[in-house]
Amino acid sequence: MSGAARGERDFTMAYKFKRSPFESLPKDMQTEIAGALARKTFAKGECIFRRGKPNTVGLYWLQRGVAIATRGEPQGDFGFAWPFYWGIWGAPSILGGEHTAWWTAVSSCEMDVLPLDTVKVLATDQAFNALLSTWAAEDLAISIRMSSILNEQRTELKVQHYLNAVARHALADPARRSMSTQARVSWPFSKTELARYLSVSRPHLSTVLSQLSERSAVRIDGRHLSVDPARLPSG
């Protein structure tokens, strides 16, 4: 089944949890992790990690702020630009040895970091290693789904599917999950940047966004993404 047929719910990444990304682990391991986590703040515009560099930090648990992942395609791999609003990141680069994308703080970001040394010790446990593998697989899933969106020939569907997917990710945050009325989340792109990321002309994008604002569950309102959760398609 193609990514388009599966729908935007393929954008799972590492945020399928209610309280903590480690909540499925044994209690003693959760206690060990809680003691090792360190809060770190990244300034607006700061590069958190770079593609091709080894992961020397560990796992990043984004608590507050917005970060954007960008991945080019010089070797023909999937290219995308994707904003992250919460969740845990870094598993693919731990398992693969290096980062597969650039990750930059769009706003000031607060993260709880699980140090690499602690991750390596915990990874000897089957349950923790399985969790890392699941997160890495979800990272690949977002790349594949993004490729599907970018290959959509109809600009209207491309833009709508992209915005719907971003909205679903933002609303997966437990702080927003229960919202049944209009929600607003920070939007990190200018229209020019979004047009470049989606490979559409700036005038055409403006026309499409104007049309979508009248009949879609998601619209761009200045520097915010406004979402009506009740109207988001089920995928």
Side-chain angles (χ1 to χ4, degrees):
M1 183 180 294
S2 69
R6 287 193 299 268
E8 289 81 18
R9 290 190 185 278
D10 284 335
F11 279 91
T12 52
M13 287 298 285
Y15 57 78
K16 284 183 171 179
F17 53 87
K18 295 180 180 179
R19 295 172 292 100
S20 163
F22 310 104
E23 62 192 12
S24 65
L25 297 173
K27 293 296 183 182
D28 58 340
M29 193 174 295
Q30 291 187 47
T31 300
E32 182 178 356
I33 290 170
L37 287 172
R39 179 62 57 94
K40 186 172 183 180
T41 300
F42 293 87
K44 178 180 179 180
E46 184 175 353
C47 182
I48 302 166
F49 55 69
R50 298 178 183 275
R51 177 178 179 158
K53 298 294 184 180
N55 186 335
T56 59
V57 176
L59 291 172
Y60 302 79
W61 182 4
L62 177 58
Q63 299 280 351
R64 296 179 183 84
V66 184
I68 181 173
T70 53
R71 181 181 295 165
E73 38 190 343
Q75 283 80 43
D77 54 349
F78 302 120
F80 64 85
W82 179 259
F84 293 118
Y85 294 88
W86 79 299
I88 191 162
W89 323 105
S93 53
I94 288 174
L95 295 177
E98 64 180 36
H99 296 296
T100 58
W102 292 268
W103 207 31
T104 306
V106 179
S107 66
S108 176
C109 291
E110 290 186 6
M111 302 191 194
D112 283 345
V113 177
L114 187 63
L116 184 59
D117 288 346
T118 302
V119 173
K120 288 180 177 179
V121 171
L122 292 171
T124 61
D125 182 276
Q126 184 176 358
F128 189 87
N129 195 54
L131 202 53
L132 283 178
S133 297
T134 297
W135 292 339
E138 291 175 344
D139 184 89
L140 177 60
I142 196 173
S143 299
I144 293 172
R145 180 61 182 132
M146 179 57 65
S147 178
S148 174
I149 287 178
L150 295 180
N151 285 329
E152 171 60 58
Q153 297 301 305
R154 291 164 291 182
T155 301
E156 295 81 359
L157 289 181
K158 180 189 293 189
V159 175
Q160 186 170 6
H161 288 171
Y162 182 82
L163 296 182
N164 284 349
V166 171
R168 281 200 181 88
H169 164 64
L171 295 181
D173 184 344
R176 303 183 179 104
R177 187 178 295 156
S178 61
M179 291 182 177
S180 58
T181 57
Q182 197 81 0
R184 298 177 80 221
V185 297
S186 297
W187 181 244
F189 304 136
S190 68
K191 289 183 179 179
T192 298
E193 289 170 331
L194 182 60
R196 185 173 73 251
Y197 292 144
L198 296 182
S199 298
V200 301
S201 71
R202 172 66 168 78
H204 194 182
L205 176 66
S206 294
T207 299
V208 170
L209 290 176
S210 179
Q211 294 170 345
L212 289 179
S213 69
E214 300 173 359
R215 55 182 174 81
S216 172
V218 183
R219 72 174 187 274
I220 297 175
D221 179 17
R223 281 295 185 175
H224 290 87
L225 191 69
S226 296
V227 187
D228 182 352
R231 294 181 60 200
L232 270 178
S234 57

